[in-house]
Amino acid sequence: MSMNWGMANRLARIIKSDGRAVMLAVDHGYFLGPTSGLEEPRKTIEPLMPHADSIMLTRGVLRTSVDAKADKPIVLRVSGGTSILKELSNEDITVSIEDCIRLNVSAMALSIFVGSDFEKETLVSLAKLVDEGEKYGIPVLAVTAVGKDMARDVRYLGLSCRIAAELGAHIVKTYYCDNFEELIGSCPIPVIVAGGKKTPEMEALELAYNAVKGGAVGVDMGRNIFQSDSPVGMIKAVRAIVHENVSVKEAFKIYESEKNSKARKAS
Ligand code: 5RP
């Protein structure tokens, strides 16, 4: 993809020189409120930050809970306007490009809801955000959010990812699914995989492993890290899968060893 220097530089801060990325997702509160594990964002974020390549969050949490001296690329959630109590697809752009520049963000993230009531509005918002981002060299991460009745299969997720790419997104975040390689093959921009609901640690590590093996640049993981009994252990294990190509078994040992060393220190 040909792009201006600023855009290329910001993307390179997110997707590292090995072509891989570990993004820590802590933006859930924008529609879920005080999500389990994120009640006090600073406490959750601080120990995890050193192990993430970038961090995805809202401007409210960025301003209140992240030190401005932190040298970590910010992927700012700029869509919202709805809550868990309402129709989730009814989102709009919630942050101006000027504030994104002031906050020195490395990318802007917006959800698209293909097949939902507000499909068109979210897709047009994506296109508008890309136009704004292109003016100032700020990449756009499209998030393929899933409506209540949407299947998380390759047909649906492949459709969403391809539309995101066609509308000009620079990265797309989606879910891992069967026949994931097919999705990767038909999506001309980098794909990063969301962790999804909390699952046992071994399963979350398998997901990360399968995602990168299937062609994703990495993971944008939240709940499977910050809701784990060892968040630092999990992010270290995920990082080893993404950047060091370790097996799931080896990664699980990294998680266990961190968990056990913390338990020893506490006793
Ligand atoms: C919410 C998001 C989250 O960032 C995304 O779902 C990743 O977090 P998790 O790994 O917990 O699913 O975009 O809409």
Side-chain angles (χ1 to χ4, degrees):
M1 200 191 302
S2 88
M3 55 181 74
N4 66 61
W5 193 93
M7 180 80 76
N9 179 261
R10 286 188 176 91
L11 266 179
R13 298 197 72 214
I14 295 168
I15 303 173
K16 297 299 177 185
S17 53
D18 61 357
R20 298 272 175 88
V22 175
M23 195 180 284
L24 173 66
V26 287
D27 60 320
H28 305 61
Y30 91 93
F31 72 100
L32 287 174
T35 315
S36 166
L38 273 181
E39 294 87 348
E40 294 179 71
R42 185 179 286 274
K43 279 193 189 160
T44 304
I45 293 168
E46 262 178 11
L48 297 174
M49 278 252 282
H51 311 287
D53 294 324
S54 63
I55 174 163
M56 179 186 180
L57 73 183
T58 58
R59 70 175 158 188
V61 167
L62 179 64
R63 286 175 183 156
T64 56
S65 313
V66 177
D67 192 338
K69 289 185 188 146
D71 184 20
K72 201 56 77 176
I74 298 301
V75 179
L76 194 73
R77 155 72 64 183
V78 302
S79 71
T82 185
S83 82
I84 190 73
L85 304 177
K86 293 272 194 180
E87 168 52 47
L88 286 181
S89 66
N90 193 6
E91 284 196 355
D92 211 331
I93 296 173
T94 52
V95 184
S96 68
I97 189 76
E98 289 82 4
D99 213 27
C100 290
I101 294 165
R102 269 191 293 275
L103 292 167
N104 196 26
V105 308
S106 296
M108 303 179 287
L110 169 141
S111 292
I112 56 168
F113 291 81
V114 172
S116 296
D117 291 355
F118 293 89
E119 171 187 277
K120 179 187 165 193
E121 287 81 352
T122 61
L123 292 178
V124 171
S125 288
L126 171 61
K128 284 186 180 157
L129 193 66
V130 170
D131 280 340
E132 290 300 300
E134 290 289 346
K135 281 189 213 160
Y136 303 101
I138 305 183
V140 172
L141 167 72
V143 177
T144 66
V146 179
K148 279 193 284 291
D149 307 319
M150 305 300 161
R152 289 189 185 190
D153 61 17
V154 69
R155 206 161 144 236
Y156 173 72
L157 296 175
L159 172 75
S160 303
C161 287
R162 181 58 180 262
I163 291 173
E166 298 271 352
L167 291 178
H170 304 88
I171 319 180
V172 62
K173 170 162 94 153
T174 196
Y175 293 96
Y176 183 74
C177 57
D178 289 342
N179 303 317
F180 187 68
E181 289 82 355
E182 205 183 296
L183 181 155
I184 294 289
S186 63
C187 183
I189 56 171
V191 175
I192 194 158
V193 164
K197 281 196 180 131
K198 175 77 179 75
T199 55
E201 278 69 12
M202 183 68 99
E203 273 177 42
L205 295 175
E206 271 164 12
L207 180 135
Y209 181 88
N210 290 334
V212 291
K213 199 165 144 250
V217 295
V219 292
D220 181 13
M221 197 175 263
R223 288 163 290 180
N224 277 292
I225 291 174
F226 62 72
Q227 291 177 351
S228 167
D229 54 8
S230 175
V232 172
M234 267 308 271
I235 198 164
K236 281 186 173 176
V238 166
R239 187 170 185 87
I241 287 174
V242 172
H243 286 297
E244 289 156 40
N245 292 312
V246 304
S247 65
V248 175
K249 236 175 166 179
E250 286 169 290
F252 192 75
K253 278 191 206 147
I254 294 172
Y255 149 75
E256 275 192 317
S257 130
E258 178 71 33
K259 181 175 142 176
N260 293 338
S261 93
K262 200 165 176 202
R264 271 196 302 276
K265 278 183 206 150
S267 65

